[in-house]
Amino acid sequence: MLTKKRIMVTGGAGFVGSNLCRYLLEKGSIVDCVDNLITGRRESISALEENESFQFFETDISDPDFVSMFKENNYDEVLHLACPTGVPNIAPMAEEMLVTCSTGTDNVLKLAHNNNAKLVYTSSAEVYGDPEVFPQTECYNGNVDPVGPRSAYEEGKRFSESLVSMYAKKYQVPARIVRLFNTFGTGMSPDDTRVIPQFLKQIRLGQKITIYGDGNQNRAHMHVNDLIQALMLVMEKGTPGEVYNIGGSTQMTIRELAELIDSLTPMPVDIEYRPHFIEDHGGRLPDTTKVRKLGWAPCISTTEGLLEMMPNYGVMTHEPDLLLFEESPKIQGVS
């Protein structure tokens, strides 16, 4: 008989974490979900708690007793996602972000080391800051202000990456780093502060869509199901100590995103522009050559993902007569 893998998912009650826990359970793993619920939601995992292979632990990875709490659990793998997210949360949760990325990540790495467990750490495209190079490759060092308004998240993630790299080199922990670009999909909280759920919430409430700045900021969105496939592939085939970008390949401005959502719903949509509440980044576009060489490619377009997601947020949909934005199969960063 095959022995089930025992896997810890930190930040498992968040958007990506809850989808990941569900996927792992479907694959037959034993899953321990850890979350302090600062931005995660118990509702996201409530259905999973009926599964005897799932256990939820409401605790903080920064707790001094974290490692001893789980020392007898013999984990095979750790997927470390824990960290408050959302640009509006950077100022009010700056301390929590920094402590999670430093003390918290160190605790998780100690746990993985003690268990001889493989680990994948989910970093962020924020480590590139406001990039001056397009697309961004893993060897690009970024354009980051260490004391700027976004530094708690940017520098927190950069420090976590340094910790992971150190554990991989000094202690031979089989740990990999993935840098996630903009991700969306079913399971995002209606109160999530990221752009797509905010747009959908405003449409459902009959409000104008709010775009901060001029709307020319570029992003490349990726569906959460594609992200999960990439995480599993990096866990299985990635090289310890290496960094892998994971993100979409179709660049779209925030204004174009709003117009695309408008084209997918019969509900009236108006747009209003406001000054940005924080220093923003002009664009992001990942070079995903490294993860594609492992065998990954995104399968779900932004349009398909939105059409799947919108009814769950109370927004009616219809098939567009004409797609405003052709989502090309051209792969960014691959010659």
Side-chain angles (χ1 to χ4, degrees):
M1 293 179 64
L2 293 175
T3 302
K4 288 185 175 182
K5 285 183 181 178
R6 184 159 195 170
I7 302 175
M8 173 181 280
V9 179
T10 72
F15 158 53
V16 174
S18 58
N19 278 282
L20 179 59
C21 288
R22 186 176 300 105
Y23 174 87
L24 293 171
L25 290 170
E26 290 171 355
K27 293 299 179 182
S29 299
I30 299 169
V31 179
D32 286 354
C33 168
V34 175
D35 204 301
N36 65 0
L37 302 181
I38 188 171
T39 55
R41 297 187 306 149
R42 191 68 180 262
E43 309 93 272
S44 297
I45 56 168
S46 57
L48 305 182
E49 294 186 87
E50 299 175 7
N51 191 318
E52 63 181 11
S53 294
F54 179 84
Q55 193 166 1
F56 172 63
F57 298 88
E58 185 177 347
T59 190
D60 195 314
I61 63 171
S62 304
D63 190 304
D65 298 321
F66 176 80
V67 179
S68 61
M69 259 186 261
F70 298 99
K71 66 180 180 180
E72 305 295 336
N73 287 12
N74 297 319
Y75 293 106
D76 298 292
E77 296 175 356
V78 177
L79 289 132
H80 178 23
L81 284 67
C83 187
T85 57
V87 174
N89 289 329
I90 291 176
M93 297 185 186
E95 182 177 1
E96 290 84 350
M97 289 177 179
L98 289 165
V99 172
T100 298
C101 289
S102 53
T103 304
T105 295
D106 189 49
N107 281 340
V108 174
L109 285 162
K110 285 176 180 173
L111 180 70
H113 180 41
N114 293 347
N115 284 265
N116 295 314
K118 296 168 69 175
L119 180 143
V120 168
Y121 172 63
T122 57
S123 186
S124 167
E126 293 284 324
V127 300
Y128 297 122
D130 192 7
E132 298 172 326
V133 173
F134 288 85
Q136 293 87 55
T137 65
E138 289 87 350
C139 61
Y140 175 53
N141 292 328
N143 175 34
V144 178
D145 180 352
V147 293
R150 301 171 76 108
S151 65
Y153 193 73
E154 292 172 343
E155 294 293 0
K157 288 292 186 179
R158 287 162 73 94
F159 184 76
S160 277
E161 287 194 14
S162 185
L163 272 175
V164 173
S165 177
M166 183 274 290
Y167 269 82
K169 293 171 184 174
K170 183 175 181 178
Y171 300 113
Q172 289 75 54
V173 174
R176 298 99 168 133
I177 298 165
V178 293
R179 291 175 181 158
L180 309 188
F181 286 67
N182 298 76
T183 307
F184 77 103
T186 300
M188 300 185 89
S189 166
D191 297 318
D192 195 303
T193 57
R194 285 169 281 198
V195 62
I196 288 178
Q198 280 300 296
F199 280 177
L200 298 183
K201 178 181 180 180
Q202 289 172 327
I203 293 172
R204 176 173 57 83
L205 295 176
Q207 301 172 350
K208 293 180 179 180
I209 282 181
T210 302
I211 291 179
Y212 293 98
D214 60 12
N216 289 322
Q217 311 95 308
N218 278 296
R219 300 292 184 266
H221 292 277
M222 167 183 55
H223 194 272
V224 65
N225 290 359
D226 286 330
L227 166 58
I228 288 172
Q229 295 303 316
L231 292 177
M232 295 298 96
L233 194 62
V234 171
M235 178 70 82
E236 179 187 357
K237 297 183 179 181
T239 302
E242 287 292 312
V243 181
Y244 298 87
N245 284 335
I246 303 177
S249 58
T250 302
Q251 230 178 355
M252 186 180 296
T253 68
I254 300 300
R255 182 189 299 117
E256 288 171 337
L257 175 65
E259 291 170 351
L260 174 58
I261 292 175
D262 182 21
S263 77
L264 300 178
T265 178
M267 302 172 73
V269 177
D270 294 317
I271 299 174
E272 68 173 352
Y273 294 86
R274 294 182 184 175
H276 212 296
F277 54 87
I278 195 171
E279 179 182 292
D280 200 12
H281 295 161
R284 295 196 193 99
L285 182 65
D287 182 323
T288 55
T289 301
K290 282 181 69 174
V291 72
R292 289 176 186 276
K293 286 181 177 178
L294 299 181
W296 177 81
C299 299
I300 303 171
S301 71
T302 307
T303 299
E304 292 168 330
L306 286 169
L307 286 171
E308 172 198 72
M309 181 182 180
M310 289 163 69
N312 295 318
Y313 291 79
V315 178
M316 294 184 292
T317 65
H318 64 70
E319 293 290 339
D321 296 327
L322 176 66
L323 288 183
L324 295 181
F325 311 103
E326 183 68 25
E327 296 189 72
S328 168
K330 178 182 176 183
I331 306 305
Q332 291 285 353
V334 180
S335 58

